[in-house]
Amino acid sequence: MGASVGGGSEDEDTEVSEINVTPFIDVMLVLLIVFMVAAPLSTVDVPINLPGSTSTPAERPDEPLWLSLGLNRVLSLGNDAVPGGGLQAALDAATGGKRDTTIFFRADKDLPYGETMAILDELRKAGYLKVALVGLEGAPPAAEGVTQQ
């Protein structure tokens, strides 16, 4: 009945030439679940209405440092609100004092230009000169109220 190797009796150990894939499938399913749970945790949950851009997106580091300015004029570093006047301290804590870290700045498109520039000035005064402005990828920019001279 059983397949014996070497002509021995059925009670002896036999070699099986088939690969048991059940443990492999179990491991893959566990990894799938881990990645499905971890992927949403790596995003920033500050709602910002971004302007569109048609330029080619630049490469992004594995763990970007997001600075967001919402329409309610609340400044957030990642998901944490930054108290008024505490931007430099919050950035120093998040970067470990590394001033060459790229800051990804997101601002709501309906904010006045002056408020956006005020935050960029604060970043410059704090010594953070590598600032990437973030927009919606592949969306055409809004042409309302734009005049060309």
Side-chain angles (χ1 to χ4, degrees), residues 65 67 73-78 80-95 99 103 118-119 122-123 125-126 128:
L65 185 59
L67 181 65
R73 285 144 178 90
V74 172
L75 191 63
S76 302
L77 188 60
D80 304 322
V82 176
L87 180 59
Q88 181 173 356
L91 286 171
D92 287 343
T95 63
R99 302 251 195 277
I103 309 297
I119 300 300
E122 280 188 56
L123 287 169
K125 288 177 188 172
Y128 292 92

mmCIF file of all heavy atoms in Angstrom, residues 65 67 73-78 80-95 99 103 118-119 122-123 125-126 128:
data_model
loop_
_atom_site.group_PDB
_atom_site.id
_atom_site.type_symbol
_atom_site.label_atom_id
_atom_site.label_comp_id
_atom_site.label_asym_id
_atom_site.label_seq_id
_atom_site.Cartn_x
_atom_site.Cartn_y
_atom_site.Cartn_z
ATOM 1 N N LEU A 65 9.265 63.545 6.373
ATOM 2 C CA LEU A 65 8.827 64.386 7.481
ATOM 3 C C LEU A 65 7.817 65.385 6.929
ATOM 4 O O LEU A 65 8.172 66.289 6.177
ATOM 5 C CB LEU A 65 10.025 65.101 8.107
ATOM 6 C CG LEU A 65 9.749 65.927 9.350
ATOM 7 C CD1 LEU A 65 9.165 65.050 10.454
ATOM 8 C CD2 LEU A 65 11.026 66.578 9.837
ATOM 9 N N LEU A 67 5.132 68.377 7.075
ATOM 10 C CA LEU A 67 4.690 69.581 7.771
ATOM 11 C C LEU A 67 3.460 70.066 7.028
ATOM 12 O O LEU A 67 3.523 70.346 5.832
ATOM 13 C CB LEU A 67 5.791 70.648 7.768
ATOM 14 C CG LEU A 67 5.471 71.946 8.494
ATOM 15 C CD1 LEU A 67 5.292 71.681 9.992
ATOM 16 C CD2 LEU A 67 6.558 72.967 8.275
ATOM 17 N N ARG A 73 -5.748 76.782 9.786
ATOM 18 C CA ARG A 73 -4.492 77.439 10.178
ATOM 19 C C ARG A 73 -3.771 76.724 11.321
ATOM 20 O O ARG A 73 -3.027 77.322 12.077
ATOM 21 C CB ARG A 73 -4.724 78.899 10.515
ATOM 22 C CG ARG A 73 -4.933 79.727 9.262
ATOM 23 C CD ARG A 73 -5.939 80.816 9.483
ATOM 24 N NE ARG A 73 -6.119 81.661 8.310
ATOM 25 C CZ ARG A 73 -7.004 81.439 7.364
ATOM 26 N NH1 ARG A 73 -7.729 80.353 7.389
ATOM 27 N NH2 ARG A 73 -7.165 82.279 6.370
ATOM 28 N N VAL A 74 -4.018 75.423 11.434
ATOM 29 C CA VAL A 74 -3.308 74.596 12.415
ATOM 30 C C VAL A 74 -2.116 73.973 11.710
ATOM 31 O O VAL A 74 -2.255 73.336 10.671
ATOM 32 C CB VAL A 74 -4.226 73.508 13.007
ATOM 33 C CG1 VAL A 74 -3.432 72.548 13.879
ATOM 34 C CG2 VAL A 74 -5.354 74.140 13.788
ATOM 35 N N LEU A 75 -0.936 74.162 12.282
ATOM 36 C CA LEU A 75 0.300 73.610 11.737
ATOM 37 C C LEU A 75 0.544 72.261 12.388
ATOM 38 O O LEU A 75 0.483 72.132 13.612
ATOM 39 C CB LEU A 75 1.461 74.570 12.019
ATOM 40 C CG LEU A 75 2.775 74.312 11.324
ATOM 41 C CD1 LEU A 75 2.600 74.430 9.813
ATOM 42 C CD2 LEU A 75 3.813 75.310 11.791
ATOM 43 N N SER A 76 0.801 71.236 11.579
ATOM 44 C CA SER A 76 1.005 69.879 12.096
ATOM 45 C C SER A 76 2.303 69.312 11.567
ATOM 46 O O SER A 76 2.623 69.463 10.394
ATOM 47 C CB SER A 76 -0.138 68.961 11.664
ATOM 48 O OG SER A 76 -1.371 69.462 12.101
ATOM 49 N N LEU A 77 3.042 68.652 12.436
ATOM 50 C CA LEU A 77 4.255 67.937 12.063
ATOM 51 C C LEU A 77 3.919 66.456 12.174
ATOM 52 O O LEU A 77 3.733 65.942 13.272
ATOM 53 C CB LEU A 77 5.411 68.308 12.981
ATOM 54 C CG LEU A 77 6.784 67.792 12.592
ATOM 55 C CD1 LEU A 77 7.184 68.313 11.216
ATOM 56 C CD2 LEU A 77 7.814 68.216 13.610
ATOM 57 N N GLY A 78 3.780 65.786 11.022
ATOM 58 C CA GLY A 78 3.238 64.425 11.010
ATOM 59 C C GLY A 78 1.765 64.511 11.355
ATOM 60 O O GLY A 78 1.009 65.206 10.687
ATOM 61 N N ASP A 80 0.893 65.352 14.627
ATOM 62 C CA ASP A 80 0.864 66.113 15.868
ATOM 63 C C ASP A 80 0.818 67.607 15.585
ATOM 64 O O ASP A 80 1.602 68.123 14.782
ATOM 65 C CB ASP A 80 2.103 65.796 16.719
ATOM 66 C CG ASP A 80 2.227 64.299 17.009
ATOM 67 O OD1 ASP A 80 1.180 63.671 17.224
ATOM 68 O OD2 ASP A 80 3.352 63.791 17.006
ATOM 69 N N ALA A 81 -0.079 68.320 16.270
ATOM 70 C CA ALA A 81 -0.177 69.771 16.119
ATOM 71 C C ALA A 81 1.058 70.437 16.733
ATOM 72 O O ALA A 81 1.588 69.989 17.746
ATOM 73 C CB ALA A 81 -1.445 70.278 16.797
ATOM 74 N N VAL A 82 1.524 71.511 16.074
ATOM 75 C CA VAL A 82 2.688 72.256 16.552
ATOM 76 C C VAL A 82 2.170 73.521 17.240
ATOM 77 O O VAL A 82 1.422 74.287 16.635
ATOM 78 C CB VAL A 82 3.619 72.640 15.375
ATOM 79 C CG1 VAL A 82 4.770 73.496 15.856
ATOM 80 C CG2 VAL A 82 4.121 71.392 14.689
ATOM 81 N N PRO A 83 2.553 73.746 18.495
ATOM 82 C CA PRO A 83 2.090 74.954 19.179
ATOM 83 C C PRO A 83 2.684 76.211 18.540
ATOM 84 O O PRO A 83 3.747 76.152 17.922
ATOM 85 C CB PRO A 83 2.584 74.774 20.617
ATOM 86 C CG PRO A 83 3.698 73.792 20.519
ATOM 87 C CD PRO A 83 3.424 72.929 19.329
ATOM 88 N N GLY A 84 1.996 77.332 18.667
ATOM 89 C CA GLY A 84 2.467 78.585 18.102
ATOM 90 C C GLY A 84 3.863 78.938 18.595
ATOM 91 O O GLY A 84 4.127 78.919 19.797
ATOM 92 N N GLY A 85 4.760 79.249 17.685
ATOM 93 C CA GLY A 85 6.135 79.593 18.037
ATOM 94 C C GLY A 85 7.016 78.403 18.360
ATOM 95 O O GLY A 85 8.186 78.577 18.683
ATOM 96 N N GLY A 86 6.496 77.194 18.287
ATOM 97 C CA GLY A 86 7.279 76.013 18.640
ATOM 98 C C GLY A 86 7.716 75.190 17.452
ATOM 99 O O GLY A 86 8.051 74.016 17.611
ATOM 100 N N LEU A 87 7.733 75.790 16.254
ATOM 101 C CA LEU A 87 8.074 75.020 15.058
ATOM 102 C C LEU A 87 9.517 74.535 15.096
ATOM 103 O O LEU A 87 9.793 73.374 14.827
ATOM 104 C CB LEU A 87 7.827 75.854 13.797
ATOM 105 C CG LEU A 87 8.152 75.167 12.473
ATOM 106 C CD1 LEU A 87 7.334 73.896 12.305
ATOM 107 C CD2 LEU A 87 7.916 76.101 11.304
ATOM 108 N N GLN A 88 10.458 75.410 15.448
ATOM 109 C CA GLN A 88 11.863 75.003 15.450
ATOM 110 C C GLN A 88 12.109 73.891 16.468
ATOM 111 O O GLN A 88 12.800 72.913 16.172
ATOM 112 C CB GLN A 88 12.775 76.191 15.745
ATOM 113 C CG GLN A 88 14.243 75.793 15.725
ATOM 114 C CD GLN A 88 15.183 76.971 15.852
ATOM 115 O OE1 GLN A 88 14.748 78.123 15.875
ATOM 116 N NE2 GLN A 88 16.468 76.684 15.927
ATOM 117 N N ALA A 89 11.528 74.002 17.643
ATOM 118 C CA ALA A 89 11.721 72.965 18.665
ATOM 119 C C ALA A 89 11.125 71.632 18.215
ATOM 120 O O ALA A 89 11.729 70.574 18.419
ATOM 121 C CB ALA A 89 11.093 73.404 19.984
ATOM 122 N N ALA A 90 9.952 71.683 17.578
ATOM 123 C CA ALA A 90 9.319 70.452 17.107
ATOM 124 C C ALA A 90 10.144 69.809 15.994
ATOM 125 O O ALA A 90 10.310 68.589 15.960
ATOM 126 C CB ALA A 90 7.903 70.742 16.626
ATOM 127 N N LEU A 91 10.679 70.639 15.082
ATOM 128 C CA LEU A 91 11.507 70.103 13.997
ATOM 129 C C LEU A 91 12.812 69.526 14.532
ATOM 130 O O LEU A 91 13.261 68.472 14.078
ATOM 131 C CB LEU A 91 11.792 71.193 12.964
ATOM 132 C CG LEU A 91 10.626 71.568 12.057
ATOM 133 C CD1 LEU A 91 10.972 72.803 11.232
ATOM 134 C CD2 LEU A 91 10.257 70.413 11.160
ATOM 135 N N ASP A 92 13.428 70.231 15.487
ATOM 136 C CA ASP A 92 14.672 69.724 16.071
ATOM 137 C C ASP A 92 14.445 68.380 16.763
ATOM 138 O O ASP A 92 15.278 67.482 16.676
ATOM 139 C CB ASP A 92 15.252 70.739 17.054
ATOM 140 C CG ASP A 92 15.852 71.943 16.350
ATOM 141 O OD1 ASP A 92 16.123 71.871 15.135
ATOM 142 O OD2 ASP A 92 16.040 72.988 17.018
ATOM 143 N N ALA A 93 13.300 68.246 17.442
ATOM 144 C CA ALA A 93 12.995 66.983 18.115
ATOM 145 C C ALA A 93 12.745 65.869 17.095
ATOM 146 O O ALA A 93 13.176 64.732 17.299
ATOM 147 C CB ALA A 93 11.777 67.150 19.015
ATOM 148 N N ALA A 94 12.071 66.190 15.998
ATOM 149 C CA ALA A 94 11.739 65.164 15.005
ATOM 150 C C ALA A 94 12.943 64.745 14.166
ATOM 151 O O ALA A 94 13.040 63.594 13.750
ATOM 152 C CB ALA A 94 10.632 65.672 14.085
ATOM 153 N N THR A 95 13.873 65.683 13.914
ATOM 154 C CA THR A 95 15.024 65.377 13.056
ATOM 155 C C THR A 95 16.285 65.085 13.845
ATOM 156 O O THR A 95 17.301 64.736 13.244
ATOM 157 C CB THR A 95 15.313 66.547 12.107
ATOM 158 O OG1 THR A 95 15.679 67.694 12.876
ATOM 159 C CG2 THR A 95 14.123 66.852 11.223
ATOM 160 N N ARG A 99 19.718 69.659 10.350
ATOM 161 C CA ARG A 99 19.109 70.744 9.580
ATOM 162 C C ARG A 99 19.084 70.454 8.074
ATOM 163 O O ARG A 99 18.401 71.149 7.341
ATOM 164 C CB ARG A 99 19.857 72.053 9.826
ATOM 165 C CG ARG A 99 19.893 72.470 11.284
ATOM 166 C CD ARG A 99 19.010 73.668 11.507
ATOM 167 N NE ARG A 99 19.213 74.375 12.756
ATOM 168 C CZ ARG A 99 18.674 74.030 13.908
ATOM 169 N NH1 ARG A 99 17.973 72.933 13.977
ATOM 170 N NH2 ARG A 99 18.838 74.748 14.985
ATOM 171 N N ILE A 103 12.131 68.691 4.470
ATOM 172 C CA ILE A 103 10.815 68.859 5.061
ATOM 173 C C ILE A 103 9.807 68.888 3.912
ATOM 174 O O ILE A 103 9.932 69.695 3.000
ATOM 175 C CB ILE A 103 10.715 70.171 5.868
ATOM 176 C CG1 ILE A 103 11.872 70.304 6.867
ATOM 177 C CG2 ILE A 103 9.356 70.291 6.541
ATOM 178 C CD1 ILE A 103 11.904 69.259 7.931
ATOM 179 N N ALA A 118 4.767 82.801 5.406
ATOM 180 C CA ALA A 118 5.191 82.982 6.800
ATOM 181 C C ALA A 118 5.772 81.685 7.364
ATOM 182 O O ALA A 118 6.794 81.698 8.064
ATOM 183 C CB ALA A 118 4.016 83.457 7.648
ATOM 184 N N ILE A 119 5.164 80.553 7.029
ATOM 185 C CA ILE A 119 5.688 79.258 7.498
ATOM 186 C C ILE A 119 7.023 78.963 6.823
ATOM 187 O O ILE A 119 7.965 78.487 7.466
ATOM 188 C CB ILE A 119 4.677 78.127 7.237
ATOM 189 C CG1 ILE A 119 3.364 78.395 7.973
ATOM 190 C CG2 ILE A 119 5.247 76.771 7.630
ATOM 191 C CD1 ILE A 119 3.495 78.492 9.480
ATOM 192 N N GLU A 122 9.624 80.875 8.576
ATOM 193 C CA GLU A 122 9.977 80.250 9.861
ATOM 194 C C GLU A 122 10.931 79.076 9.650
ATOM 195 O O GLU A 122 11.868 78.886 10.439
ATOM 196 C CB GLU A 122 8.714 79.759 10.583
ATOM 197 C CG GLU A 122 7.949 80.829 11.302
ATOM 198 C CD GLU A 122 6.823 80.228 12.141
ATOM 199 O OE1 GLU A 122 7.111 79.348 12.994
ATOM 200 O OE2 GLU A 122 5.674 80.635 11.939
ATOM 201 N N LEU A 123 10.675 78.291 8.604
ATOM 202 C CA LEU A 123 11.561 77.168 8.306
ATOM 203 C C LEU A 123 12.969 77.666 7.974
ATOM 204 O O LEU A 123 13.962 77.088 8.420
ATOM 205 C CB LEU A 123 11.008 76.343 7.142
ATOM 206 C CG LEU A 123 9.789 75.480 7.440
ATOM 207 C CD1 LEU A 123 9.192 74.931 6.160
ATOM 208 C CD2 LEU A 123 10.162 74.355 8.377
ATOM 209 N N LYS A 125 14.381 80.539 8.925
ATOM 210 C CA LYS A 125 14.993 81.073 10.150
ATOM 211 C C LYS A 125 15.460 79.957 11.084
ATOM 212 O O LYS A 125 16.445 80.109 11.792
ATOM 213 C CB LYS A 125 14.008 81.986 10.879
ATOM 214 C CG LYS A 125 13.788 83.302 10.180
ATOM 215 C CD LYS A 125 12.747 84.130 10.902
ATOM 216 C CE LYS A 125 12.396 85.364 10.100
ATOM 217 N NZ LYS A 125 11.262 86.094 10.682
ATOM 218 N N ALA A 126 14.733 78.837 11.075
ATOM 219 C CA ALA A 126 15.106 77.702 11.919
ATOM 220 C C ALA A 126 16.291 76.928 11.337
ATOM 221 O O ALA A 126 16.855 76.071 11.997
ATOM 222 C CB ALA A 126 13.914 76.768 12.098
ATOM 223 N N TYR A 128 16.209 75.160 8.385
ATOM 224 C CA TYR A 128 15.781 74.061 7.520
ATOM 225 C C TYR A 128 15.563 74.619 6.118
ATOM 226 O O TYR A 128 14.527 75.208 5.821
ATOM 227 C CB TYR A 128 14.512 73.403 8.075
ATOM 228 C CG TYR A 128 14.776 72.670 9.358
ATOM 229 C CD1 TYR A 128 14.627 73.290 10.593
ATOM 230 C CD2 TYR A 128 15.216 71.356 9.334
ATOM 231 C CE1 TYR A 128 14.898 72.622 11.771
ATOM 232 C CE2 TYR A 128 15.484 70.675 10.504
ATOM 233 C CZ TYR A 128 15.327 71.312 11.715
ATOM 234 O OH TYR A 128 15.606 70.642 12.876
#
